[in-house]
């Protein structure tokens, strides 16, 4: 089914069976996003506990030493896990995922710094699940259970991938030899027309659904700004390439790379505050060139950083990617703009 529950400081929703009580989820994922704060004492970001109808608990704690602790209980079973956090910046969003598969008795604990594309993953060889009843209670209870630093908590009834997430709108179109096609319909072996005007073969296509909250809330690029043909929703962490006289004037480059979240201005690029879930896709083609999606250039997927980390690769969306399909040539690196540079360019383009 996927993401069955979400909760933030405005309330919660649960889309699983409302009569769920004792049935433990054989597979599942809990995702918590919070903003890092510097503190000299342990901080319980999330603290959920119930006794009826079956004991259940979930605690997420950050220690001053830089460790994140997760404690989970289901009935008589309990477990505690510790993962060292990367070096964090004040106010930086941190995404924590705990996933389990009781049939294999394996799982994963992962920390993602989405804005810097940093991922730390720990494979687990013994896990404790949550029950559907506990998931419903967690999402729907009104008693405070998370601190102000927490952006949201979400629960899925499947073992979700960790690591870099796709960032392209599944309903956006890319040109093919037979005409435009939706990105969400592409599969390995399909032919698309790349941004250089030449055909390219899709070697891998992947997609995932995420809660439309926090760092994964989509940013909608509105047509006709930035040459976009129709409105398209992108992951705020997605990179796009921009060209034009303003780019050449400001940066002495024909093309630069910008992060979509830095384009947000409530006019040409706005946050989508409506949908509870969003489906993102990405594709890898056989050449290291950009794709032209709805008129905007988007770099093709480079799986190399993920594949270099065996633990991350095994639990990521790329876990089934055959290594022999990865293009050997590296893409030409574009100058990446800082946020303040993107904002200067944005003001010139939108004015």
């Amino acid at each position: 089914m996927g993401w069955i529950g979400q909760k933030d400081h405005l309330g919660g929703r649960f889309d699983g069976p409302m009569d769920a009580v004792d049935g433990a989820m054989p597979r599942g994922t809990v995702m918590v996003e919070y903003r890092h704060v510097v503190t000299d004492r342990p901080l319980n970001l999330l603290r959920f506990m119930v006794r009826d109808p079956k004991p259940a608990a979930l605690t997420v704690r950050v220690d001053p030493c830089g460790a994140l602790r997760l404690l989970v209980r289901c009935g008589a079973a309990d477990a505690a896990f510790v993962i060292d956090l990367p070096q964090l910046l004040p106010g930086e969003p941190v995404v924590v995922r705990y996933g389990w598969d009781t049939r294999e008795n394996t799982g994963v604990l992962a920390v993602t710094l989405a804005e810097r594309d940093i991922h730390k993953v720990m494979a687990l060889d013994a896990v404790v699940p949550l029950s559907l009843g506990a998931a419903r209670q967690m999402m729907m209870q009104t008693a405070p259970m998370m601190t102000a630093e927490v952006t949201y908590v979400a629960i899925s009834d499947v073992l979700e991938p960790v690591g870099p997430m796709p960032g392209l709108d599944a309903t956006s179109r890319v040109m093919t030899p037979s005409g435009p096609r939706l990105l969400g319909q592409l599969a390995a072996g399909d032919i698309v027309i790349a941004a250089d005007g030449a055909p390219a073969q899709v070697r891998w296509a992947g997609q995932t659904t995420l809660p439309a909250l926090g760092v994964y809330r989509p940013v909608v690029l509105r047509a006709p700004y930035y040459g976009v043909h129709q409105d398209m929703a992108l992951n705020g962490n997605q990179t796009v390439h921009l060209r034009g006289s303003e780019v050449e004037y400001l940066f002495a480059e024909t093309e630069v790379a910008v992060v979509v979240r830095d384009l947000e201005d409530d006019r040409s690029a706005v946050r989508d505050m409506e949908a509870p879930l969003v489906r993102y896709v990405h594709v890898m083609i056989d050449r290291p060139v950009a794709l032209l999606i709805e008129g905007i250039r988007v770099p093709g997927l480079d799986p190399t950083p993920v594949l270099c980390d065996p633990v991350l690769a095994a639990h990521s969306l790329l876990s089934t990617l055959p290594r022999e399909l990865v293009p050997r040539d590296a893409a030409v690196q574009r100058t990446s703009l800082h946020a303040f540079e993107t904002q200067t360019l944005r003001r010139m383009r939108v004015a």
Side-chain angles (χ1 to χ4, degrees), residues 43-222:
L43 177 62
N44 284 318
L45 296 167
L46 173 68
R47 194 170 186 179
F48 165 76
M49 181 180 296
V50 293
R51 297 184 181 276
D52 299 316
K54 183 178 183 179
L58 179 69
T59 299
V60 178
R61 189 181 83 186
V62 176
D63 291 340
C65 64
L68 182 138
R69 299 177 183 272
L70 185 142
L71 296 88
V72 59
R73 182 182 183 188
C74 182
D78 59 62
F81 308 102
V82 181
I83 187 170
D84 291 330
L85 294 168
Q87 189 68 39
L88 301 175
L89 304 176
E92 182 172 25
V94 183
V95 179
V96 180
R97 288 180 178 86
Y98 167 62
W100 65 88
D101 183 340
T102 58
R103 293 166 183 169
E104 300 292 336
N105 200 28
T106 59
V108 63
L109 179 59
V111 174
T112 293
L113 309 183
E115 293 186 352
R116 290 193 285 155
D117 199 23
I118 295 175
H119 311 274
K120 188 154 189 181
V121 181
M122 182 172 70
L124 308 176
D125 56 10
V127 292
V128 172
L130 286 177
S131 69
L132 278 169
R136 179 181 60 80
Q137 289 175 289
M138 187 186 306
M139 295 299 99
M140 302 307 296
Q141 79 169 27
T142 57
M145 69 173 196
M146 53 191 187
T147 65
E149 291 78 15
V150 176
T151 305
Y152 67 87
V153 182
I155 295 182
S156 172
D157 60 1
V158 301
L159 180 57
E160 300 284 350
V162 303
M165 294 291 109
L168 304 178
D169 188 345
T171 63
S172 294
R173 301 164 299 176
V174 63
M175 187 58 65
T176 72
S178 58
R181 286 188 62 186
L182 298 181
L183 282 177
Q185 296 177 343
L186 293 178
D190 289 341
I191 303 297
V192 298
I193 305 300
D196 61 3
Q201 184 186 59
V202 175
R203 290 192 170 177
W204 177 88
Q207 55 185 283
T208 191
T209 298
L210 290 165
L213 296 167
V215 295
Y216 299 124
R217 187 180 294 281
V219 176
V220 179
L221 296 186
R222 287 178 167 173

Side-chain angles (χ1 to χ4, degrees), residues 195 221 226 238-260 262-263 290-291 295-299 332-346 348-349:
L221 296 186
Y226 307 109
Q238 176 65 44
T239 296
V240 298
H241 293 169
L242 298 181
R243 292 182 168 189
S245 58
E246 300 92 346
V247 170
E248 296 179 7
Y249 173 76
L250 288 172
F251 309 109
E253 301 275 1
T254 58
E255 186 171 300
V256 293
V258 304
V259 179
V260 169
D262 295 334
L263 295 173
L291 292 166
I296 196 166
R297 293 171 179 264
V298 177
V332 176
Q333 296 300 309
R334 307 299 180 189
T335 298
S336 297
L337 300 190
H338 297 288
F340 72 91
E341 294 174 315
T342 300
Q343 290 159 13
T344 300
L345 174 61
R346 182 196 68 205
M348 290 189 66
R349 294 288 292 265

